Amino acid sequence: MAAKVWRLVAPKGLSQEAVLLGECNDTAREVINSCRGATLKSYFVFSKENRRLHLRLFEPPESNRQSVQRCAVVYCPSEVSGGSCAMESASLTRKLLPLGIAVLAIDVSPTATSLCTLDDVAYAVERLKEGLPNREPYPCVALWGRSAGAVAAIGYAAKDTPSLAGIVCDSAFSDLATLLQMPEW
């Protein structure tokens, strides 16, 4: 609903990127409002490949946070949404926040390509484990990828499986040549 409304009220002449960012911000606010006490922090960063990323950290309310270990899921978007993760991950985020699990949504829409890469995933996991600005680290990190994001998640897991709590791949795809280049295949 918010996305349709944003298209109607967005000033004429805005770039596609600006309209998409407005729609994502509305969706992110709706997610936070649906889970009382949850917080949202946004970080505009440059990855190691010098790609501009928008990381959105959805954190559960203090009362829902697990007392033993801070856990987070990195959501790796598909190419279908234009790399716009806030809209794509909304239903998952609504389910994980009440369980005390944070979600870091990688938004690659500001970049020239809308595909989430292995380096984007590595950067997001590294930031969570080291701690984002004004945030404590998350020692327990899992990946959830969809389509091209699932391919990036699989690629990252092949290199760093021991440190991941889990991985969910929805509709991953690959070609045989790429698959054969993965370690241990």
Side-chain angles (χ1 to χ4, degrees):
M1 177 65 178
K4 291 178 185 174
V5 171
W6 221 96
R7 283 194 184 110
L8 293 174
V9 299
K12 298 221 185 293
L14 278 181
S15 69
Q16 180 69 21
E17 180 184 324
V19 171
L20 187 59
L21 181 61
E23 291 172 1
C24 291
N25 288 341
D26 286 348
T27 302
R29 278 191 288 279
E30 287 175 7
V31 169
I32 289 301
N33 291 337
S34 71
C35 187
R36 188 179 311 271
T39 59
L40 169 65
K41 293 290 180 184
S42 287
Y43 304 92
F44 287 93
V45 297
F46 286 92
S47 71
K48 290 178 182 172
E49 328 176 282
N50 207 28
R51 282 169 39 104
R52 189 170 144 224
L53 303 175
H54 184 183
L55 303 179
R56 287 185 176 90
L57 178 62
F58 297 87
E59 291 189 298
E62 287 290 335
S63 60
N64 291 14
R65 293 191 184 154
Q66 298 176 3
S67 59
V68 179
Q69 195 173 36
R70 291 169 51 91
C71 296
V73 170
V74 174
Y75 189 86
C76 312
S78 74
E79 73 287 352
V80 175
S81 65
S84 173
C85 203
M87 293 186 289
E88 191 174 294
S89 66
S91 64
L92 172 68
T93 304
R94 284 187 183 103
K95 289 176 177 71
L96 292 179
L97 288 177
L99 299 174
I101 301 170
V103 175
L104 181 68
I106 302 172
D107 191 340
V108 295
S109 60
T111 63
T113 175
S114 63
L115 294 178
C116 182
T117 69
L118 186 146
D119 289 330
D120 297 338
V121 176
Y123 184 82
V125 170
E126 186 178 298
R127 294 285 72 80
L128 273 177
K129 289 188 175 210
E130 291 177 1
L132 287 156
N134 302 317
R135 292 288 175 256
E136 290 186 34
Y138 282 89
C140 179
V141 176
L143 302 177
W144 188 301
R146 185 170 165 281
S147 193
V151 173
I154 290 170
Y156 179 79
K159 292 182 175 188
D160 191 23
T161 303
S163 76
L164 292 175
I167 180 169
V168 176
C169 296
D170 176 5
S171 308
F173 65 88
S174 185
D175 62 302
L176 186 58
T178 304
L179 189 61
L180 291 174
Q181 291 173 6
M182 292 181 71
E184 298 182 25
W185 278 68

